[in-house]
Amino acid sequence: MLKLLITRPLPDTVIAQARAHFDTTMRDQTTPMDRAELVQSLSDYDIVLPTLGDLYSADVFDAVPNPRARLLANFGVGYNHIDAAAAKSIGIAVTNTPGAVTDATADIAMTLMLMTCRRAGEGERLVRAGQWQGWHPTQLLGLHLTGKTLGIVGMGRIGQAIAQRAHHGFGMTLKYYNRSSKPLPFPAEQVASLADLAAQVDVLVIAVPGGAETHHMIDASVLSNMKPHARLVNIARGDVIKEDDLIAALEKGAIAGAGLDVYEHEPDVPQALIGMETVTLLPHLGTAALEVREAMGLMAIDNALAFAKGATLPNPV
Ligand code: NAP
């Protein structure tokens, strides 16, 4: 039996499936592996099932020139914590879990859009503080989302799932910025420049992968193009946004609010953001539903099983 390391506690169904097919070790900490653990994982196991925060950078692979590990079956679609090119250079394949995460993450994008536009967090805090003095016509007026224009940065699986919800559910006009052109089953205008897209929308939602290509893609120059009443939502990866520039834009009222599921230096959230009523802050909840985490885990195990049989990997990156 091949030796499999699962780097975090996962749902019972996933662990049972893993144990049925592999000599499985489940690390019981909920925090990312440190460097020593990362290096050891490559020398002690045939397959590792890592996830967000397990920083397999080039120097980790360099430290194990002849690894026992031959597959990193990542739990999650985003794999910017793994230097996949460095892994491949020493013969380690990398897979991810696309599709399993799409609807749940799009749902969290809609949650952030609604909470931020309609000031739901602010209202909730008012009630919980015992300071609500009753309904009145000019209290907590937000931005009406229905019928507004949504800009989507990254029209991939999640971007399209957000678009479907915004179009069919909220009658929103859709515009997007994407690397390639996309045939889409709903009306949406592709805008050639990110700066132009930012200038044209009421809500800008980020759905590109993290990594070198998208690092700080949303910076002061993009933010300065947005309308003062517009909101920015990020469900992708924290470092796609230059967080200091976002804080500055919010502080000077260049944009009206932000809804964030991810942060540049996660799990550190800047005090400046915590102190702002105009931002909604979620703790990376994109895929946080049991059935979704089960589907992600089983998909990662399917990749491990294909590897064990010498079959084509279903989800190589
Ligand atoms: P996907 O299907 O690969 O979509 C990504 C889209 O971004 C593609 O359309 C791609 O364009 C576009 N893109 C990539 N680089 C670009 C660039 N430099 N400029 C413009 N467009 C670019 O991925 P997905 O499944 O939608 O997931 C997107 C990301 O969401 C993941 O990588 C992950 O980091 C994040 N995520 C977060 C959570 C959460 O819990 N918050 C959950 C799941 C996923 P092409 O068509 O040209 O490739």
Side-chain angles (χ1 to χ4, degrees):
M1 249 188 186
L2 295 179
K3 279 186 77 182
L4 169 71
L5 173 67
I6 297 179
T7 71
R8 301 285 197 295
L10 293 183
D12 293 345
T13 45
V14 180
I15 299 300
Q17 174 75 344
R19 291 202 198 289
H21 298 279
F22 298 100
D23 173 4
T24 302
T25 301
M26 190 189 78
R27 185 171 164 271
D28 60 10
Q29 285 120 287
T30 56
T31 48
M33 291 193 289
D34 63 26
R35 192 175 183 286
E37 290 177 289
L38 290 162
V39 167
Q40 200 178 357
S41 73
L42 298 179
S43 55
D44 289 5
Y45 295 90
D46 300 294
I47 302 172
V48 184
L49 200 150
T51 194
L52 183 91
D54 293 329
L55 200 59
Y56 282 100
S57 50
D59 69 295
V60 171
F61 297 111
D62 287 347
V64 195
N66 294 304
R68 174 171 179 165
R70 286 283 167 248
L71 175 67
L72 299 183
N74 188 56
F75 178 91
V77 68
Y79 60 90
N80 55 310
H81 51 282
I82 300 172
D83 188 329
K88 276 174 204 165
S89 73
I90 58 163
I92 301 177
V94 181
T95 58
N96 68 345
T97 61
V101 304
T102 302
D103 285 325
T105 311
D107 291 349
I108 283 293
M110 299 312 293
T111 304
L112 283 170
M113 285 164 61
L114 284 165
M115 286 187 72
T116 306
C117 289
R118 297 298 301 275
R119 303 172 65 177
E122 213 177 326
E124 229 247 352
R125 285 188 287 278
L126 184 78
V127 174
R128 284 184 188 272
Q131 287 171 2
W132 184 42
Q133 294 178 345
W135 186 92
H136 70 81
T138 56
Q139 185 180 48
L140 283 173
L141 303 184
L143 177 73
H144 183 52
L145 194 64
T146 297
K148 291 293 188 301
T149 299
L150 175 64
I152 299 177
V153 181
M155 194 55 110
R157 286 171 294 252
I158 295 171
Q160 289 178 46
I162 295 168
Q164 296 274 13
R165 285 155 173 74
H167 171 68
H168 295 294
F170 293 86
M172 296 185 82
T173 298
L174 302 174
K175 299 184 181 228
Y176 69 100
Y177 174 75
N178 194 73
R179 189 167 52 184
S180 58
S181 67
K182 296 269 175 189
L184 298 170
F186 44 77
E189 178 195 343
Q190 184 160 13
V191 178
S193 109
L194 182 53
D196 287 347
L197 179 72
Q200 294 172 24
V201 301
D202 302 299
V203 178
L204 189 67
V205 59
I206 313 304
V208 287
E213 209 187 314
T214 57
H215 184 78
H216 287 180
M217 190 179 198
I218 306 295
D219 60 7
S221 73
V222 174
L223 292 163
S224 68
N225 272 16
M226 289 176 69
K227 297 176 186 181
H229 73 264
R231 272 74 167 171
L232 178 71
V233 167
N234 188 11
I235 53 78
R237 283 290 180 265
D239 63 359
V240 177
I241 297 179
K242 199 170 175 190
E243 214 161 61
D244 286 344
D245 289 2
L246 172 62
I247 291 166
L250 288 162
E251 280 173 344
K252 66 180 183 223
I255 65 171
L260 306 174
D261 192 39
V262 287
Y263 305 88
E264 186 165 358
H265 305 292
E266 210 167 305
D268 292 336
V269 179
Q271 206 53 47
L273 289 175
I274 290 173
M276 281 179 202
E277 286 290 2
T278 53
V279 297
T280 307
L281 305 171
L282 296 184
H284 205 140
L285 290 182
T287 59
L290 178 59
E291 67 199 86
V292 178
R293 294 279 162 86
E294 286 175 339
M296 292 165 68
L298 294 176
M299 199 167 185
I301 300 289
D302 280 349
N303 280 283
L305 284 170
F307 169 82
K309 288 182 202 144
T312 306
L313 297 174
N315 308 106
V317 302

